[in-house]
Amino acid sequence: MKRISREAAWGILSNHKIVILGHGEASVEETKDIIKHTLDIVPDAIKNMIKDNTLHPKVYEGLGYEEIRWEDDNTLIKKHLNEAFLEKDILYIKEYKDNCLTSTAMHIIDL
């Protein structure tokens, strides 16, 4: 897993479709382990999720801040993006939600 800059993560998120694999208060390492074990048990899990769960980004910049919104009403405000890690086609981010750090793992389509 390679740490990437916030700018690089923002560029990936604002230009690629995603499938959310995990979201919550677990650490990035814990989230990575959960996803790895899931893929070991169900190797086609991501492939199966792409069909019905692909989210397209819409970037909004005229709000006084930059924000990405997806069709499922999830949002990411750029200044809330804390850190990011990339491993193959999975992007792990830590973001501030309600003053708490939250980890999210996403499969990036066509990275």
Side-chain angles (χ1 to χ4, degrees), residues 1 13 18-29 31-32 35 55 70 72 74-76 81 83-85 90-97 101-108:
M1 186 162 47
L13 290 170
I18 65 167
V19 173
I20 296 177
L21 304 176
H23 182 74
E25 295 180 11
S27 70
V28 168
E29 293 79 16
T31 303
K32 179 183 172 187
I35 291 169
L55 301 174
W70 291 275
D72 66 350
N74 272 312
T75 62
L76 176 62
L81 180 57
E83 59 184 338
F85 303 87
I90 299 179
L91 177 67
Y92 300 88
I93 65 166
K94 289 180 93 173
E95 64 178 301
Y96 285 100
K97 286 272 192 191
L101 274 176
T102 301
S103 295
T104 304
M106 295 160 267
H107 166 71
I108 308 298

Side-chain angles (χ1 to χ4, degrees), residues 34-77:
I34 292 167
I35 291 169
K36 181 189 178 307
H37 292 303
T38 301
L39 294 176
D40 287 346
I41 295 168
V42 187
D44 290 335
I46 293 175
K47 182 179 170 184
N48 295 337
M49 290 176 72
I50 289 172
K51 180 180 176 187
D52 298 320
N53 299 300
T54 299
L55 301 174
H56 300 78
K58 288 190 179 180
V59 179
Y60 294 86
E61 296 178 349
L63 307 168
Y65 54 89
E66 291 181 69
E67 178 180 83
I68 298 174
R69 294 181 194 162
W70 291 275
E71 296 102 318
D72 66 350
D73 293 328
N74 272 312
T75 62
L76 176 62
I77 297 172

